Amino acid sequence: MDHTPNPNSMTLLNLAELCPITRSLGPGQRFAIWVQGCCFNCSGCISPDWIPQVAATGVEPRRLAETILSVPGTEGLTVSGGEPMLQAQALSELFALLAEVDCSIICYTGFTLEQLQAKSDPAIARVLSQIDVLIDGLYLPELNDNQGWRGSANQRVHFLTPRLFAEAGAFSSRKRDVEIHLRNDSALMVGVPPRHFSDTFKQVIDNS
């Protein structure tokens, strides 16, 4: 079945932030995006500014795909937020544009896989068919075990394709690391932080 999106019907993706090059959100060199807006309010959320469902930066999926593919060495895309599944239509259009190149897709969501599969939403069904790895479930700070690319031990790593299965151990048990990307007037933390790292990071930024 042809999943190529119709350019005349593209939906804007509401982005909170992006990072063109990271190695802390999945295997290899990855392009990371965070969507704006979340329907959850997890205690200890590392990105509370991205919870409000408000307009941030609207980007056409085709333009974003071109940006992702223009970065030399990109091996995959990691999507977080916010809650990506609230923007399933736009994401499905983006993923379709990346389908013809060697670009793996990792996606975080606060929903469980079963909850997503139970939804009568064709866009979510398309997204699930396009993702290689889904990391699901709400973040629970008391279950943050400082291991892997998932935030807390209750979150599950679903290999929806075999593409990244060779890295299965790293997803659940690798040592945590984070990157700090300095901007002109701000700093972006990229990665799954160890326990209490966010508070320490904020204190350093506030005092700098």
Side-chain angles (χ1 to χ4, degrees):
M1 182 178 296
D2 183 8
H3 291 301
T4 302
N6 181 346
N8 296 321
S9 64
M10 283 189 175
T11 304
L12 292 181
L13 191 61
N14 190 21
L15 284 187
E17 186 58 87
L18 59 77
C19 178
I21 298 176
T22 179
R23 293 183 177 274
S24 62
L25 282 173
Q29 178 182 311
R30 311 192 69 79
F31 194 108
I33 63 174
W34 293 264
V35 301
Q36 179 72 42
C38 185
C39 51
F40 305 107
N41 189 19
C42 297
S43 174
C45 175
I46 64 171
S47 51
D49 291 343
W50 302 341
I51 293 176
Q53 296 184 47
V54 297
T57 301
V59 181
E60 293 182 356
R62 185 174 298 278
R63 184 179 296 274
L64 181 56
E66 292 171 352
T67 300
I68 293 169
L69 298 177
S70 72
V71 180
T74 298
E75 299 173 54
L77 170 69
T78 297
V79 184
S80 188
E83 173 48 58
M85 294 302 167
L86 297 183
Q87 300 190 48
Q89 177 59 42
L91 285 178
S92 71
E93 294 175 9
L94 172 64
F95 296 165
L97 292 164
L98 298 175
E100 299 303 317
V101 298
D102 191 23
C103 182
S104 63
I105 297 175
I106 298 170
C107 185
Y108 290 83
T109 177
F111 295 101
T112 65
L113 177 59
E114 292 78 11
Q115 288 172 331
L116 294 174
Q117 291 172 331
K119 292 180 179 293
S120 299
D121 187 333
I124 288 178
R126 285 195 300 273
V127 164
L128 291 178
S129 74
Q130 296 164 314
I131 291 171
D132 294 295
V133 179
L134 181 76
I135 301 175
D136 77 350
L138 298 175
Y139 172 68
L140 300 176
E142 66 272 18
L143 295 181
N144 184 338
D145 58 4
N146 283 339
Q147 296 187 53
W149 282 310
R150 80 281 189 276
S152 51
N154 62 297
Q155 295 176 323
R156 299 173 301 170
V157 180
H158 301 277
F159 292 90
L160 302 183
T161 76
R163 188 171 189 172
L164 295 177
F165 189 73
E167 303 287 344
F171 275 91
S172 60
S173 61
R174 75 185 292 273
K175 183 180 178 181
R176 296 272 181 86
D177 58 3
V178 296
E179 302 164 357
I180 306 301
H181 294 253
L182 299 177
R183 308 291 177 79
N184 290 334
D185 57 354
S186 64
L188 175 67
M189 180 180 67
V190 181
V192 183
R195 283 193 304 268
H196 309 306
F197 180 87
S198 297
D199 292 338
T200 303
F201 174 70
K202 290 176 182 176
Q203 289 175 3
V204 171
I205 295 300
D206 290 342
N207 295 330
S208 63

